[in-house]
Amino acid sequence: ISLPRDTYAKIPGVKGIYKLNASLNCGGGFEAPGGAGFLKTCEAANWMIGDVYPVNYYYAVTMPAVKQLVNAIGGVDYNLDVSFKMMGRSYSAGPTHLNGQGVLDYLRVRKNVAGSGDLNRVNRQKEMLVAIFESMQKQNLILKVPDILNSFDGQLFTNCTLGQTA
């Protein structure tokens, strides 16, 4: 399930309806003890899906961590669905090899492109995650995931154990 960050939700313990991405700060933010900010987001997500299935686990990474991961695996081959410019860098639609900065730019683009908007950006982000995973599989890097995750000290947030991640 993907819940766009700009979707309005009831944030438990907070009066009113706010965008889902506000729930992180309502819970104390990234650095809140015990992951309270992320758990508040889990609660809001649970409300959004109608309390059908509890949202108990989370993973969150900073954008620099994504860039670092892609550079650590030597980049990723990807078929860009849009042409775009960002911060003086130009990218053309079609097959290309992206380094960490290229992936980061692609994950952030949402304005002035065909298929703009947050929902299309979220879909592109999910597709890129699959491409990164497939690239890691092809290079037999999956077994190195624990080492890779450990290198993201302070940039990866989860309440899952390494065993659950595996």
Side-chain angles (χ1 to χ4, degrees):
I1 296 174
S2 180
L3 303 172
R5 66 189 187 135
D6 289 342
T7 304
Y8 284 95
K10 179 177 185 336
I11 302 169
V14 177
K15 187 175 180 178
I17 303 285
Y18 297 90
K19 289 183 179 180
L20 180 60
N21 64 344
S23 60
L24 179 65
N25 288 333
C26 290
F30 275 84
E31 302 298 329
F38 298 107
L39 293 172
K40 184 61 73 175
T41 302
C42 290
E43 288 180 58
N46 188 52
W47 175 85
M48 289 178 70
I49 60 175
D51 291 322
V52 174
Y53 188 80
V55 179
N56 297 320
Y57 304 103
Y58 63 85
Y59 281 89
V61 295
T62 65
M63 287 299 214
V66 174
K67 179 179 175 179
Q68 189 177 341
L69 170 63
V70 172
N71 286 336
I73 66 170
V76 64
D77 293 324
Y78 194 78
N79 188 17
L80 293 177
D81 62 326
V82 296
S83 295
F84 65 98
K85 292 181 181 181
M86 185 168 290
M87 305 293 290
R89 296 177 292 273
S90 296
Y91 302 91
S92 298
T96 189
H97 183 80
L98 296 169
N99 64 11
Q101 186 63 58
V103 168
L104 193 60
D105 290 345
Y106 182 70
L107 296 180
R108 288 180 167 161
V109 69
R110 71 176 183 205
K111 296 181 180 176
N112 303 318
V113 295
S116 64
D118 199 48
L119 185 57
N120 287 320
R121 181 176 63 156
V122 167
N123 288 333
R124 286 194 298 270
Q125 290 170 346
K126 290 190 296 187
E127 290 167 4
M128 179 58 75
L129 287 175
V130 170
I132 292 168
F133 179 77
E134 288 173 350
S135 179
M136 292 176 71
Q137 276 184 313
K138 287 178 188 171
Q139 297 179 62
N140 292 320
L141 296 175
I142 298 301
L143 295 176
K144 294 185 179 182
V145 167
D147 294 333
I148 293 170
L149 293 177
N150 286 334
S151 72
F152 298 138
D153 187 37
Q155 297 183 73
L156 169 67
F157 305 89
T158 183
N159 62 347
C160 293
T161 66
L162 190 55
Q164 289 169 317
T165 299

